[in-house]
Amino acid sequence: MGNTGSTSPASLGKSHVPHLQWKVHDFSALLETGAKSAKSAHFHCSGYKWFLKVTPPMHQKPSAETPYVGLSLKLGRTTLKPGDTVNAVFELSVYNHAKKIYYGRKATHNFHLNNTCSKDECLIPLQKLLKSSAFLVDDSCVFGVKILKIKVCSPEKKAVMVLKKATTLQNLFIQKKGLIKGTYTWTMDNYHELDLKRYVCSPTFEVGGHKWHVGMYPHGCRNITGHISLFLYLESSDKLCDESGKVVELTLSILDQKNGKHSTITSGLSVFGGDSSWGWPKFLTVNRFKDPSRGYVLGSRCVVKADFTIVGSSNDG
């Protein structure tokens, strides 16, 4: 169940209270970052970690005549078991301050390890959002998500989950200046030796007063096979508390030392707080990585680069 974006979200009624109420401060600054998306810190429901994601309008499909802000729901990969499918029925919304109610859309999605994010099921016209004082107050707006039903299908059994009813409040603050940028290059001169290991990590480096490292699974993490998995981690000895975090835009690259055609992926804005990491389980196929015509491994050298920018902060309300 989804929508084409042809009409505005409808009223969800005065009794509607989301499981996550996510207030994005300095919304214009979020648009100015040019980020392809922004993701909330996690919230819990029925034993799973969930995230609300907002997609700025400059990244909507070119065929769309009207620019929209899109909302989608993401399920945390680390809380999913291999082979499980979580069917969720949920409502994505934006708060109307004048009428004191949420406007949104109902949707359903099957979440599994190869598909952890729904489509942009709730599309909000950008001009309506920016020009209406009902939705944007002091350059801030409130988005919401309410999970109505969860059914888990696993190889062993099927079960309907009992939902948690508590509401989580979060704030996202985007900086307009004073952005902190960091770059780290990890050169492995003994990659053929490291390739035999399940997991390898870079030395620790510091950006923004915090310690970080890059981690690689040479043959894939968890149930992923045939791929290089690549992540950025906040050091375990330097964890931010679960109630606050840093908002980071991340680019990870494996450098092509022969042709200069690097393998690069850039994230949207993500919150690093608590036990945090961000990256890609399927960053690059092992066959492509080890292809002699490419320069990802030259001799026994492999070079990984992390570029990231701390663009704001997040905390619980």
Side-chain angles (χ1 to χ4, degrees), residues 88-198:
V89 181
F90 52 94
E91 291 172 326
L92 299 165
S93 56
V94 58
Y95 187 66
N96 185 312
H97 294 269
K99 297 185 178 181
K100 301 186 185 307
I101 57 175
Y102 281 86
Y103 280 69
R105 294 281 181 187
K106 184 178 179 180
T108 184
H109 187 75
N110 290 322
F111 296 90
H112 50 83
L113 283 172
N114 291 322
N115 190 349
T116 60
C117 191
S118 74
K119 297 179 181 179
D120 287 326
E121 299 283 4
C122 183
L123 300 180
I124 306 160
L126 176 63
Q127 290 304 313
K128 184 172 183 178
L129 187 65
L130 294 179
K131 292 184 177 181
S132 174
S133 59
F135 293 105
L136 197 67
V137 177
D138 297 327
D139 200 20
S140 300
C141 54
V142 180
F143 300 108
V145 56
K146 183 174 185 177
I147 300 177
L148 304 175
K149 182 180 179 181
I150 294 176
K151 182 171 67 175
V152 180
C153 298
S154 70
E156 294 81 21
K157 61 181 180 179
K158 295 182 180 180
V160 176
M161 306 292 291
V162 177
L163 300 184
K164 175 184 175 182
K165 299 298 183 181
T167 296
T168 299
L169 306 175
Q170 292 182 13
N171 294 284
L172 179 72
F173 301 92
I174 304 297
Q175 299 170 207
K176 291 188 176 181
K177 57 182 180 180
L179 304 182
I180 300 173
K181 295 182 179 291
T183 296
Y184 177 75
T185 301
W186 176 25
T187 301
M188 294 168 271
D189 288 317
N190 58 336
Y191 186 78
H192 293 308
E193 176 184 337
L194 299 177
D195 185 48
L196 301 175
K197 298 183 178 181
R198 176 180 175 272

Side-chain angles (χ1 to χ4, degrees), residues 23-85:
K23 185 173 184 179
V24 179
H25 300 257
D26 301 314
F27 186 74
S28 61
L30 171 61
L31 300 181
E32 290 169 6
T33 65
K36 64 182 182 182
S37 64
K39 182 168 66 71
S40 72
H42 70 259
F43 67 99
H44 293 276
C45 184
S46 300
Y48 293 96
K49 286 184 178 181
W50 303 85
F51 305 85
L52 179 58
K53 187 172 78 170
V54 58
T55 305
M58 65 283 291
H59 296 281
Q60 292 300 319
K61 294 181 179 179
S63 59
E65 296 179 1
T66 303
Y68 290 90
V69 171
L71 294 177
S72 57
L73 179 64
K74 181 176 175 61
L75 178 56
R77 176 178 292 273
T78 58
T79 57
L80 268 170
K81 295 180 180 178
D84 283 5
T85 297

Side-chain angles (χ1 to χ4, degrees), residues 248-314:
V248 173
E249 182 177 55
L250 168 67
T251 297
L252 291 178
S253 305
I254 299 180
L255 303 190
D256 180 343
Q257 304 165 71
K258 181 184 296 184
N259 311 299
K261 297 180 180 179
H262 311 315
S263 179
T264 298
I265 305 179
T266 298
S267 74
L269 305 185
S270 300
V271 178
F272 277 77
D275 188 13
S276 278
S277 65
W278 186 251
W280 294 272
K282 294 184 177 181
F283 185 88
L284 183 65
T285 65
V286 172
N287 288 340
R288 185 180 179 88
F289 175 72
K290 293 185 175 181
D291 185 340
S293 68
R294 306 179 189 278
Y296 299 124
V297 180
L298 198 60
S300 188
R301 173 173 290 189
C302 174
V303 183
V304 173
K305 187 179 180 185
D307 297 283
F308 62 101
T309 304
I310 300 175
V311 302
S313 62
S314 171

Side-chain angles (χ1 to χ4, degrees), residues 204-235:
T204 298
F205 58 95
E206 185 172 321
V207 174
H210 295 282
K211 296 177 181 179
W212 314 77
H213 69 266
V214 177
M216 174 189 283
Y217 294 83
H219 299 279
C221 62
R222 299 190 71 195
N223 70 319
I224 302 298
T225 58
H227 286 77
I228 302 288
S229 300
L230 202 59
F231 299 89
L232 174 70
Y233 294 87
L234 193 60
E235 279 283 295

